[in-house]
Structure formats: structure tokens, C-alpha cells
Amino acid sequence: SQKIEQNSEALNIQEGKTATLTCNYTNYSPAYLQWYRQDPGRGPVFLLLIRENEKEKRKERLKVTFDTTLKQSLFHITASQPADSATYLCALSPRTYKYIFGTGTRLKVLA
Amino acid sequence: NAGVTQTPKFQVLKTGQSMTLQCAQDMNHNSMYWYRQDPGMGLRLIYYSASEGTTDKGEVPNGYNVSRLNKREFSLRLESAAPSQTSVYFCASRKGTSGGLPYQETQYFGPGTRLLVL
């Protein structure tokens, strides 16, 4: 069956460091991958999208990589700040209207 | 521009009761979705509506029904609530441009409805 894995354990990093979050998938050939941010008590908010033929995408302090051979996406936040503390979700879609979400990784940036 | 709105924000039901969760979007989007989010399970798709007049089952449709009332509104109904339906429910919408590649578009989520079934 199709499966998406994100590190379920919280990631704690020091302010100013680079946070790296991982999204792995199996039995899947996604056309694209998205990353969302979710704060407690709120709905997810879109951050970045990367297509299957793209290796890397950047937006300000955010960077996403997509390796379809390894079936993995990495999400980086450089110069992290306490305000970056949240849960980050990855989502895949194989080429349909349906989206498959990972369970999310909780990031805590320590001041 | 309110985006995606959901009502109610919080609800407590007894087993066997019914209720309808309301969702509306003011972005003129064609596609709308209902998800549930449970600890350790992530967001799971219940139903979606690719366009006005169509609905399709997602990953976990059992125990739910939906109605795409018009382009703006997409409701989720629990006919006979069960404790297993205790969850946070999110509605989302997507532009869904005709002739475009739907999977390239992002989703916009509502604030969620927290449902507790006793």
C-alpha cells in the first residue's frame, strides 16, 4: 500500500541553525510534492511545491529537495527562528485530485 | 476575503446523534475537500468534490455523507455518530482550473472543527 513517512519525533534545534525535515514514501510515483506548516489549533498552510522533474526549490529561508530515485524529499529552514516552531506536513499526489499527507514532524526552535 | 470558513468550531455529540459540518469558501474555487486529522494518523481524505455537482470518496468515507450545495459550500454529514469519529475535521479548497494540471495547485484549509463523540 502507499505510504508516506515523516519523523514522528519532535525535532529540537537551536536558533540560527538549519532545520532539516524528511519525507519518505513507498509504492508511489507522485507527480509533485508539497510542504505545509500547521500551528496548534489551526489548519495547514501551504509553503512550497516541487514537481517530479525538479531537484530543488527555494523560497526565502526555505529549501525543498525531491529525489524520486530515493523516494525522498528534504525540507530545510535556514537561520531558524523560534517563530518557525510548528508542525510541518508533506503531501503527495500521483496525478489525481487526491492528496496523501504524511503525519507531520513537530519542529521546536530554541532561543 | 475570509478564505475557507467552517462551522461549528467545536461540537460534542452523543453516540448515535447526527450532525452536519458546514464549509464555505469565497475564492471561487472549483474543488473542495473534507479531511479528518487524528494523532499519529495525519490528515486523511474523507470525501472530495472535484467540481460543483460531483463528489467522490476518499480514503475513509464510511459513516459520512457529503453535499456540494453550490460552488461555495461543501457540507459533511454524520448520520449516526460513533466514538471512532472523534477527530478534528478540516475542509479545504483548490482552484481546480479547467484544462490545467490539478495536482499542481495548492489547497487552502479552514480552521477546523473539533468533534468529540461520547
Side-chain angles (χ1 to χ4, degrees):
Chain A
S1 63
Q2 299 164 344
K3 194 174 179 183
I4 300 173
E5 288 185 346
Q6 291 186 257
N7 192 344
S8 58
E9 295 198 9
L11 176 64
N12 293 333
I13 64 165
Q14 211 59 39
E15 182 178 8
K17 301 292 186 184
T18 296
T20 299
L21 285 66
T22 304
C23 177
N24 294 303
Y25 59 93
T26 59
N27 299 330
Y28 220 46
S29 295
Y32 76 112
L33 184 147
Q34 297 182 346
W35 283 89
Y36 288 78
R37 169 182 173 142
Q38 186 173 23
D39 292 289
R42 294 178 177 264
V45 175
F46 170 77
L47 295 174
L48 277 172
L49 175 153
I50 186 166
R51 296 180 178 81
E52 60 182 339
N53 59 352
E54 295 177 321
K55 295 293 184 186
E56 182 179 298
K57 201 79 168 280
R58 291 176 185 261
K59 180 183 176 183
E60 297 174 351
R61 295 185 295 112
L62 309 180
K63 184 178 84 171
V64 173
T65 63
F66 195 10
D67 190 325
T68 54
T69 301
L70 291 178
K71 294 187 183 293
Q72 180 181 78
S73 174
L74 298 178
F75 177 78
H76 307 271
I77 305 175
T78 58
S80 59
Q81 305 164 0
D84 295 326
S85 298
T87 296
Y88 292 87
L89 310 173
C90 70
L92 305 175
S93 176
R95 282 170 184 83
T96 69
Y97 289 97
K98 296 182 183 180
Y99 299 72
I100 309 294
F101 280 83
T103 54
T105 297
R106 191 157 47 91
L107 172 68
K108 187 169 183 179
V109 181
L110 306 169
Chain B
N1 221 358
V4 179
T5 57
Q6 292 183 238
T7 55
K9 286 186 169 51
F10 182 72
Q11 183 73 45
V12 179
L13 290 178
K14 294 181 180 178
T15 297
Q17 287 185 318
S18 63
M19 80 162 293
T20 299
L21 282 65
Q22 307 287 352
C23 173
Q25 51 89 12
D26 62 1
M27 297 174 282
N28 201 35
H29 285 175
N30 288 305
S31 302
M32 297 184 74
Y33 300 77
W34 275 106
Y35 293 90
R36 59 178 290 174
Q37 186 173 40
D38 304 289
M41 300 293 290
L43 282 162
R44 291 183 291 170
L45 182 64
I46 305 171
Y47 270 94
Y48 69 100
S49 171
S51 60
E52 187 179 356
T54 68
T55 60
D56 283 289
K57 295 178 181 178
E59 182 185 355
V60 288
N62 292 344
Y64 305 95
N65 284 302
V66 290
S67 295
R68 184 72 184 267
L69 305 169
N70 47 54
K71 192 171 185 179
R72 288 187 64 248
E73 298 171 289
F74 189 37
S75 63
L76 178 72
R77 182 159 178 85
L78 286 70
E79 291 292 350
S80 179
S84 61
Q85 294 178 305
T86 292
S87 187
V88 181
Y89 291 85
F90 288 101
C91 176
S93 73
R94 184 175 58 75
K95 197 173 185 180
T97 51
S98 173
L101 296 173
Y103 47 88
Q104 293 191 18
E105 297 173 345
T106 67
Q107 295 179 85
Y108 295 84
F109 284 83
T113 293
R114 283 144 189 81
L115 177 65
L116 174 61
V117 183
L118 302 174

